[in-house]
Amino acid sequence: MNTAPIDTWEGAEAYFTFAHSPGMISLILIASVVVTFGAIVLAAVHEKHAYNNH
Amino acid sequence: MEQEIAALTERLAALEGGVAMSGTVNMEIFYWWCTALMIAIHAGFLAYEMGASRVKNVLASGIKNILAFAFMVPTFYFFGWYIYLAFYNGFIPAEDGAAGLPWAESMGPNLADNATGVFWAAFTLFAATTASIFSGAVIERIQQAAFIILAVLLGSVVWILGGAWGWHPTGWLTVKFGYHDVGAAGVVHMVAGFFALGVLINLGPRVGKFNADGSANVIMAHNVPFTITGLMLIIVGFFGFLGGCIIYMPGEQWINIYGQPATLSAFAFNTLMGFAGGIIGAWVKTRDPFWMMSGALIGIFAAASGLDVYYPPLAFLLGCFGGFVVPMVAVWLEKRGIDDAVGAFPVHGIGGLIGVVACGIFASGYPNVEGYPPVSLTGQLVGALTMALLGFIPGYVASLILKMMGLLRVPDHIQEKGLDVVKVPVKAYPENYIPGPVGTSEPTATPAE
């Protein structure tokens, strides 16, 4: 999988992984947002569970 | 007219000289403060190890950690820097490495060389970091002399040989395979973690860690808040560490250790995103603050090899993955009868492995310089295998020799008594406001689902 948007450093600007692929950027961004907020949901579930056990 | 041109030329030359010297001095200042920040890594490891020890061993653990740092400095001067400069082709030293010999002109105050001292200092702190990583794994049962020998072997020989091979502009791993590891996930963390694993196999567990049936007891840290604070201090120090991983080029763009263009901004984005991801991943998995802060380190290592190129949310996801997975490796290791007191092998060895391999998966195709191969999964796998073996074999063999000589392990009856009362002339808690020794018990908090 070639993730690099550049094949030479000459004149390179935004060179981060998948910078040439809006689809992959969207996918990674959405996944990171889901993980961030999903973790908060999991925290709420865990906390409820912990309170019910004590 | 000619006189005016000559005067202007002279002034221009003076200005150019002033700008160049200003850049050189700024470079020196940058690495000076990176080195100072890296000392926070050692303050952190000191707190972390002492907190993780039981009351009866607190000061012995602290002494061990401090001595690792102290012995690293002269030994890295004697031969560590030479190894880095000379052994980039493998095991045969190159002639230009002579600049790192302790009697070379550049290895002391020299007005024609502003760079060697600050680079040597930064690399010495990298070396001391590897020793501190190893130090935590072996607390409460390793003999002091054996520890110093092993720490020097790791910090001033083994890791820096890995650095010469894979963290050097012309190291053979880079030249032949395009190995990419800008944040030293492999050359520092994998090497140190696998070295620790090799030693742990010969050292054996702390007395009381395992029962006769092979089941494990939890040996509680005597001060968990101290340990967590220590881990946060290590994170602070890592900003110096990672700053030391990028090359300041006066008057030009930054470059990474391989000579490819890079920015400190790239490091800032991805270090923080990996850090945060690691905490969240470990928190979801364990709910344990010790593992959350270890997760922060794991997250940084998981993103470290490609810190210069990753899309920041990708670094975050890599950090989450590492933080979630690595605690499971710690459990797996314990089930195999290996007592890694602070999780050094899972956190650094496996965290670093994730970082190196992830770079092959997610950063394949990035061009190299000087016609060397681009980043590839094959190159990263070769690098990961090299770093694992380079760490494990010397750690295992050297500790086996020390074990055969009776120099490795503190006798069991001394472990039971406690190391502080036997060999430290002062008490950690003379007024006994923390009762000790602390016993073993199972945690009672609700675990993660």
Side-chain angles (χ1 to χ4, degrees):
Chain A
M1 177 167 57
N2 189 338
T3 65
I6 57 170
D7 51 21
T8 174
W9 290 103
E10 196 68 41
E13 289 184 2
Y15 65 92
F16 54 83
T17 47
F18 302 110
H20 59 322
S21 171
M24 281 302 290
I25 289 288
S26 305
L27 192 66
I28 293 168
L29 185 59
I30 290 167
S32 60
V33 170
V34 167
V35 167
T36 302
F37 292 100
I40 298 172
V41 174
L42 286 176
V45 171
H46 175 261
E47 207 163 12
K48 193 94 172 162
H49 178 64
Y51 294 159
N52 289 339
N53 280 354
H54 285 270
Chain B
M1 186 67 178
E2 278 180 12
Q3 278 181 337
E4 283 176 3
I5 290 173
L8 279 173
T9 305
E10 198 175 316
R11 283 180 64 188
L12 186 61
L15 272 173
E16 284 176 346
V19 169
M21 182 47 79
S22 176
T24 300
V25 170
N26 282 339
M27 177 276 294
E28 269 189 300
I29 292 168
F30 175 75
Y31 289 109
W32 171 274
W33 290 116
C34 282
T35 304
L37 260 182
M38 273 195 273
I39 292 175
I41 294 177
H42 300 282
F45 271 117
L46 184 64
Y48 172 54
E49 279 185 44
M50 291 197 296
S53 298
R54 286 164 288 183
V55 168
K56 63 182 180 178
N57 298 318
V58 169
L59 294 178
S61 292
I63 288 170
K64 180 169 66 60
N65 184 288
I66 294 166
L67 285 176
F69 193 0
F71 279 90
M72 207 55 57
V73 176
T75 56
F76 202 80
Y77 183 87
F78 299 151
F79 43 80
W81 189 236
Y82 169 70
I83 290 172
Y84 181 68
L85 295 185
F87 286 85
Y88 51 84
N89 287 324
F91 292 107
I92 310 293
E95 280 184 18
D96 55 355
L101 288 167
W103 51 83
E105 285 187 351
S106 56
M107 291 299 283
N110 183 336
L111 289 174
D113 182 355
N114 291 57
T116 298
V118 286
F119 277 101
W120 168 81
F123 274 69
T124 302
L125 268 290
F126 292 133
T129 299
T130 63
S132 273
I133 292 166
F134 159 61
S135 178
V138 296
I139 54 172
E140 303 192 304
R141 79 281 204 197
I142 194 167
Q143 291 189 33
Q144 189 65 70
F147 171 75
I148 294 171
I149 292 167
L150 291 167
V152 167
L153 175 65
L154 171 59
S156 289
V157 180
V158 173
W159 99 267
I160 194 62
L161 187 59
W165 292 353
W167 210 51
H168 185 289
T170 52
W172 67 267
L173 277 170
T174 306
V175 170
K176 292 184 179 170
F177 296 97
Y179 179 65
H180 194 86
D181 188 16
V182 294
V187 300
V188 167
H189 299 288
M190 275 191 75
V191 170
F194 279 84
F195 185 96
L197 178 65
V199 174
L200 286 171
I201 291 170
N202 289 313
L203 178 64
R206 289 167 288 179
V207 168
K209 176 63 187 174
F210 294 105
N211 301 312
D213 63 359
S215 59
N217 297 309
V218 177
I219 297 181
M220 301 293 283
H222 95 279
N223 191 334
V224 175
F226 200 40
T227 298
I228 295 166
T229 307
L231 281 161
M232 187 57 98
L233 204 50
I234 294 171
I235 302 287
V236 174
F238 260 93
F239 278 81
F241 181 104
L242 294 170
C245 293
I246 189 167
I247 311 292
Y248 187 116
M249 301 289 287
E252 296 176 37
Q253 180 61 280
W254 298 88
I255 56 172
N256 65 23
I257 199 89
Y258 308 109
Q260 298 147 350
T263 65
L264 205 50
S265 279
F267 280 45
F269 273 129
N270 288 323
T271 302
L272 283 175
M273 290 294 262
F275 158 86
I279 292 176
I280 292 172
W283 174 59
V284 168
K285 179 63 190 168
T286 69
R287 312 290 178 197
D288 177 342
F290 172 84
W291 274 107
M292 285 164 60
M293 285 314 304
S294 293
L297 288 172
I298 298 162
I300 293 174
F301 308 154
S305 291
L307 275 183
D308 57 335
V309 296
Y310 287 144
Y311 175 48
L314 177 60
F316 174 79
L317 291 175
L318 287 173
C320 282
F321 174 77
F324 191 88
V325 166
V326 167
M328 293 191 273
V329 177
V331 173
W332 176 85
L333 200 65
E334 190 174 86
K335 283 182 179 168
R336 268 135 199 88
I338 293 176
D339 178 16
D340 184 346
V342 297
F345 172 70
V347 171
H348 296 272
I350 302 302
L353 175 65
I354 292 170
V356 172
V357 175
C359 189
I361 297 170
F362 295 108
S364 272
Y366 274 90
N368 215 323
V369 293
E370 307 285 345
Y372 302 149
V375 181
S376 69
L377 182 56
T378 305
Q380 295 304 107
L381 291 174
V382 169
L385 182 65
T386 304
M387 295 307 159
L389 293 175
L390 181 63
F392 182 81
I393 293 172
Y396 182 83
V397 172
S399 60
L400 182 62
I401 293 168
L402 289 165
K403 183 181 180 182
M404 290 162 64
M405 295 168 71
L407 291 173
L408 186 63
R409 184 177 167 85
V410 172
D412 289 1
H413 71 282
I414 300 293
Q415 285 190 50
E416 283 165 6
K417 199 176 282 186
L419 304 185
D420 283 9
V421 73
V422 172
K423 63 179 188 177
V424 182
V426 291
K427 289 183 178 176
Y429 304 106
E431 290 165 21
N432 207 31
Y433 69 90
I434 296 177
V438 179
T440 62
S441 64
E442 294 295 329
T444 54
T446 305
E449 294 83 1

